Amino acid sequence: MVGSASRLVGHRLPLLLGALLVAAILVNAAQFRAVDAAAGPGEKAVYTGETADLAVMAYRECDWCRDRYAIHIALAAIAPGSRVIVAPSDPYLLPSPYDSGADATEEATVRLLTFGRAGEVDWLDGDGWAQDPDAPRLVAGVDPVPFIAASGPGGQKGAPWAIAVDPDRPVPGRPANPDHFLGRALAGGEFRDPAGEPGEFVLLRWYSPRYDHCYATGFCYSYQDLLLETTLLADRLRGAL
Amino acid sequence: MIAEVVSVLAVLGGGCAAARAAGIRGWVLPALGLVAGVSIQLAVGLIQVVTPLPTSPALTLAVTFTAPVVWWLGRWRRGHDVRVSPPPAALLLGLVAVTVALLHHANLAKWHTDSFMYLMSGQLIADGRYASDVSTYLLTARTLGVPLLHAPAHLGGGYFLTSIHALLAAATLAIVTWLFRRGLAHPAAPAVLATFAVLGGLLLLTNNRFVFSAFYLNGHLLVAVLVLVIAGSGWLLARGRFAADTPPAALMALQVLAIPALVISRPEAAMLAVLALLPTWLAGKVSARHRMVTVATLGVANLVWQGFVAWIHLAREAPVPLTAVGSLALGILLVAAIPLLRRPLPARLLLVSEAGLWLALLAFVAARGPANLVESLYATGVNLFLGEGRWGLSVAILTAFVLGCLVLSRVPHLSYLRFPVTAFVPLGFLLAYLRDIPYRVGFGDSLSRMFMHVVPLAVLYVTAAMAAAVAARSPDAAPAPAAETAARPAPDRAPPVLPTQRTRSRPRSPVPIKDQRSRLEID
């Protein structure tokens, strides 16, 4: 009986194996659309996005990317090629809260250089600050609110953020609500072909929570990431940088 | 768009020049040329990154194109038959340019959060800041291959080349088909081979994740085609049967070129390269020199890249990660093993290696507990068989086919294709222990995405095994033509004379199935 079965299979082996492959192909084909239907936009096999602009993709299609990179993309749209100084917010609280370890500082530097298109990134260890006994707390000395050109609510992977610029810096398409700046800038190609001139900014932790952007769980960031153009600082503080 | 067209044509042109100079010709030249070109691009980029040379993509492309063309010109002037017919070449370049332009505007790119990290690395390379500013995380986790592949996009103000992965997908399809046709040297009824070749191509083309990978900004498809070329070239070399359009020197060149590109494309790629190359190191028909060159290339490429990784960590006063230390040790071991490859390694080493991987996995389970494996198995099962990894049933079916062929097929030479596929399974779960993080349910899970590394090779293995089984029973089967066996490297030891070799000149008569099967046994 085994011999008969073997002979039966042997004669029909080409058909059997071919049929198996054809069946597998048909299953693949039948499931193709179902797999895509269950997938998000970035996971579909066949999906036409609205753009191939990486910054737009990061901002509009990827929540985590928007949380992480929005401040940097905005910097590149406003002032590409800038020098960014990472400094302690308080001269007496060292180091900068962004200097929380080698991994964090490296990651912050890479984001500023790539998405932020910074010309250079300098990390201050705060010595300059500490040598000035009268140096006021930075954020108490300058109120950045009137100078904020762009801002964002942050999210799961990043705090709310703001970019404050010199009043003489032209910011094309600057909306009344700085939260809307980045969306408009990306739509207008400001990231891809920025018109802004390089400047000098300091990255600070600004302890001004955005209570309008708390999570449903009640969690609120107690600060915002602030990029402040150094021309807004008092000369003494600017010199310390 | 212009920058992308120029970049792709430079890589393709350089690769085709190299492949043609090595002796490849025919319809497969563009596909193998693209893979060769990418391999050269990544090797050149690696040298730029680890040395004080500028890392400008313009320099990378210039060398990638010029060096092979100079080689091709030299061979042409010395009278070798490396001519290229201008009309088909021009047509090909035009077709590729149009394809690149269409894809550039089609907005088909797919991404994952890792994609952005790869592309940030690419920008650092393009800006000449890689060595000074790359984070240690990007260096070890995202490596160099994908960033180098996309760095030329910055010449046009972009972050990634929109067309390169789609072109690599097309090349993968072509290479699977070509390897199938070349490797099954038993010339059964042509209709049988043609049918299975088409079915194999369709099996790959209808795979949702394969199509996804054609537009996915990641390195899985790149790794897959490099593994395919390394394992497939080794298969053809070991079989000792070459067609006039694929001389052994060309296969050796393709295999060697692909190795450094693979090493820098994934953190675990060196181990994958060992799996893909191990059958080559066992093959008596592969020349000793080639065996030693491949192990030397893998060892040196590994030492160069991991040495750079270690140097960056030390320069930043950061601890060198255990993975880099392990890879450096592997590189040293490989270089030290070069003299051992003067003779082919024992054939049983395949079985021992695969068993060894499973034993190593069990050792980790014993040492660190089963939680990682249990969690990883569960997640992988859900991803591959219950749709969470977006594979549908394709991997489940392919797994069944592989297991079926493994059990039922008695064609030894197919182990060259089978071994990297089946050995990948214990390696994958070992990696979970090495990184100390189990796999997870979802599309973004590493192992679920990593299975793409062996899918094209698995499709080739399955269709080759099935076609070989059918061909062995075909009443139309005839001996291989003498011309195909002409260009064979001198074996290190005389191969055993098989009964069929003595009877090759006699007219064929119907032979029982058992004897037909023995004609396919090479080693």
Side-chain angles (χ1 to χ4, degrees):
Chain A
M1 185 176 171
V2 172
S4 313
S6 173
R7 281 193 295 275
L8 193 66
V9 169
H11 287 308
R12 285 167 176 71
L13 187 63
L15 274 177
L16 179 64
L17 294 178
L20 282 174
L21 282 177
V22 170
I25 292 165
L26 290 175
V27 169
N28 277 356
Q31 284 200 308
F32 198 98
R33 291 182 71 177
V35 169
D36 267 8
E43 305 169 11
K44 295 181 192 294
V46 180
Y47 172 75
T48 301
E50 59 178 287
T51 180
D53 186 319
L54 192 71
V56 176
M57 289 158 63
Y59 184 72
R60 291 191 190 150
E61 299 177 14
C62 175
D63 290 348
W64 287 13
C65 307
R66 182 171 58 243
D67 298 345
R68 287 168 171 158
Y69 309 133
I71 184 174
H72 311 92
I73 295 172
L75 176 65
I78 292 172
S82 294
R83 178 186 181 218
V84 177
I85 304 161
V86 187
S89 304
D90 185 327
Y92 305 104
L93 290 175
L94 304 174
S96 160
Y98 300 103
D99 193 3
S100 57
D103 291 348
T105 57
E106 287 181 339
E107 180 63 21
T109 300
V110 169
R111 292 179 188 180
L112 285 165
L113 291 174
T114 55
F115 279 113
R117 293 186 175 162
E120 59 181 295
V121 180
D122 293 319
W123 289 77
L124 287 195
D125 58 10
D127 282 352
W129 300 94
Q131 289 165 10
D132 185 341
D134 296 323
R137 289 170 185 264
L138 178 67
V139 293
V142 176
D143 177 12
V145 171
F147 308 105
I148 291 176
S151 62
Q156 208 177 1
K157 296 292 180 180
W161 57 272
I163 299 180
V165 302
D166 190 292
D168 293 333
R169 172 181 286 281
V171 179
R174 184 171 178 169
N177 183 347
D179 276 355
H180 298 160
F181 168 81
L182 192 50
R184 290 190 189 185
L186 289 171
E190 283 299 309
F191 177 80
R192 194 166 182 83
D193 299 304
E197 293 294 319
E200 185 180 83
F201 291 80
V202 59
L203 177 62
L204 302 167
R205 180 157 288 183
W206 180 29
Y207 291 97
S208 176
R210 286 199 63 168
Y211 292 113
D212 56 335
H213 287 291
C214 297
Y215 291 108
T217 58
F219 170 76
C220 288
Y221 280 95
S222 61
Y223 61 90
Q224 297 181 57
D225 294 328
L226 175 67
L227 277 169
L228 183 76
E229 193 153 15
T230 56
T231 51
L232 296 174
L233 298 175
D235 291 343
R236 186 176 74 226
L237 292 174
R238 209 158 56 239
L241 293 172
Chain B
M1 185 192 80
I2 301 295
E4 177 160 356
V5 171
V6 171
S7 302
V8 170
L9 290 182
V11 170
L12 177 65
C16 285
R20 189 68 192 93
I24 302 261
R25 61 178 191 234
W27 63 271
V28 76
L29 176 62
L32 290 175
L34 179 65
V35 177
V38 167
S39 299
I40 297 169
Q41 178 194 6
L42 267 51
V44 171
L46 170 63
I47 294 170
Q48 287 175 269
V49 165
V50 303
T51 63
L53 287 171
T55 56
S56 162
L59 179 61
T60 314
L61 293 176
V63 175
T64 300
F65 179 77
T66 307
V69 167
V70 166
W71 180 38
W72 176 82
L73 282 171
R75 284 187 61 80
W76 178 58
R77 292 189 66 158
R78 284 195 294 273
H80 295 278
D81 182 14
V82 294
R83 64 184 183 275
V84 174
S85 174
L91 182 65
L92 169 72
L93 294 178
L95 201 64
V96 169
V98 168
T99 303
V100 170
L102 288 173
L103 288 170
H104 190 80
H105 294 291
N107 299 336
L108 294 170
K110 312 296 183 298
W111 52 264
H112 178 246
T113 47
D114 291 349
S115 307
F116 296 91
M117 298 184 190
Y118 282 118
L119 300 178
M120 286 200 288
S121 287
Q123 182 174 352
L124 291 176
I125 291 170
D127 292 344
R129 293 179 188 264
Y130 191 80
S132 58
D133 293 305
V134 69
S135 68
T136 49
Y137 169 77
L138 287 179
L139 189 66
T140 51
R142 300 299 144 221
T143 62
L144 205 56
V146 176
L148 280 172
L149 187 67
H150 288 282
H154 290 274
L155 298 173
Y159 276 85
F160 60 92
L161 298 179
T162 54
S163 60
I164 192 64
H165 291 283
L167 292 173
L168 283 172
T172 303
L173 272 172
I175 293 170
V176 165
T177 306
W178 172 75
L179 283 169
F180 175 88
R181 295 300 301 265
R182 284 287 166 267
L184 287 187
H186 191 296
V192 170
L193 287 183
T195 302
F196 278 87
V198 169
L199 291 178
L202 286 175
L203 188 62
L204 207 47
L205 198 56
T206 53
N207 185 307
N208 184 286
R209 290 299 89 182
F210 179 76
V211 175
F212 169 81
S213 295
F215 307 103
Y216 182 31
L217 299 175
N218 209 304
H220 301 299
L221 187 63
L222 173 64
V223 170
V225 73
L226 293 172
V227 166
L228 179 70
V229 166
I230 291 173
S233 297
W235 178 48
L236 297 184
L237 285 168
R239 297 213 67 202
R241 288 196 166 90
F242 312 104
D245 61 354
T246 43
L251 294 171
M252 293 179 199
L254 286 173
Q255 207 180 32
V256 170
L257 275 177
I259 294 169
L262 180 58
V263 165
I264 63 172
S265 292
R266 291 280 304 181
E268 76 282 357
M271 289 186 268
L272 203 50
V274 171
L275 298 187
L277 280 169
L278 191 58
T280 302
W281 296 337
L282 309 181
K285 279 197 169 62
V286 174
S287 71
R289 192 175 85 157
H290 182 64
R291 287 196 300 268
M292 291 194 286
V293 165
T294 52
V295 75
T297 304
L298 180 56
V300 169
N302 210 35
L303 284 173
V304 166
W305 170 238
Q306 296 298 340
F308 177 77
V309 169
W311 176 69
I312 291 289
H313 280 80
L314 292 172
R316 297 186 190 175
E317 297 177 357
V320 178
L322 216 55
T323 48
V325 173
S327 293
L328 278 169
L330 176 64
I332 292 169
L333 200 68
L334 287 167
V335 170
I338 293 172
L340 298 177
L341 273 296
R342 279 205 184 95
R343 301 188 68 80
L345 298 177
R348 74 181 77 88
L349 195 59
L350 271 189
L351 181 62
V352 168
S353 302
E354 196 156 358
L357 284 171
W358 285 106
L359 285 173
L361 180 61
L362 287 176
F364 270 94
V365 170
R368 294 202 197 165
N372 187 312
L373 180 62
V374 170
E375 210 171 318
S376 297
L377 279 171
Y378 170 76
T380 303
V382 172
N383 286 334
L384 297 184
F385 302 110
L386 296 182
E388 290 298 322
R390 310 291 179 236
W391 286 98
L393 287 174
S394 60
V395 169
I397 293 172
L398 199 52
T399 302
F401 283 169
V402 169
L403 289 174
C405 293
L406 184 63
V407 169
L408 298 172
S409 175
R410 293 290 181 264
V411 182
H413 68 77
L414 289 175
S415 62
Y416 292 97
L417 305 178
R418 190 269 312 157
F419 174 75
V421 175
T422 52
F424 177 79
V425 175
L427 176 65
F429 290 107
L430 259 176
L431 291 174
Y433 273 98
L434 290 174
R435 71 179 197 175
D436 211 18
I437 304 172
Y439 297 115
R440 58 184 174 90
V441 174
F443 153 75
D445 171 62
S446 309
L447 185 60
S448 177
R449 291 181 286 122
M450 281 161 58
F451 269 99
M452 180 53 64
H453 299 170
V454 293
V455 160
L457 188 60
V459 167
L460 174 62
Y461 166 64
V462 161
T463 47
M466 289 183 177
V470 169
R473 287 164 171 75
S474 169
D476 301 325
E484 284 201 2
T485 62
R488 184 182 310 187
D492 297 285
R493 54 174 184 256
V497 177
L498 301 174
T500 52
Q501 288 178 332
R502 295 196 199 102
T503 61
R504 190 164 287 158
S505 61
R506 296 185 188 171
R508 291 185 62 80
S509 56
V511 186
I513 289 176
K514 187 179 77 172
D515 290 343
Q516 283 185 341
R517 186 178 297 153
S518 69
R519 291 199 187 96
L520 298 173
E521 294 174 3
I522 299 302
D523 296 314

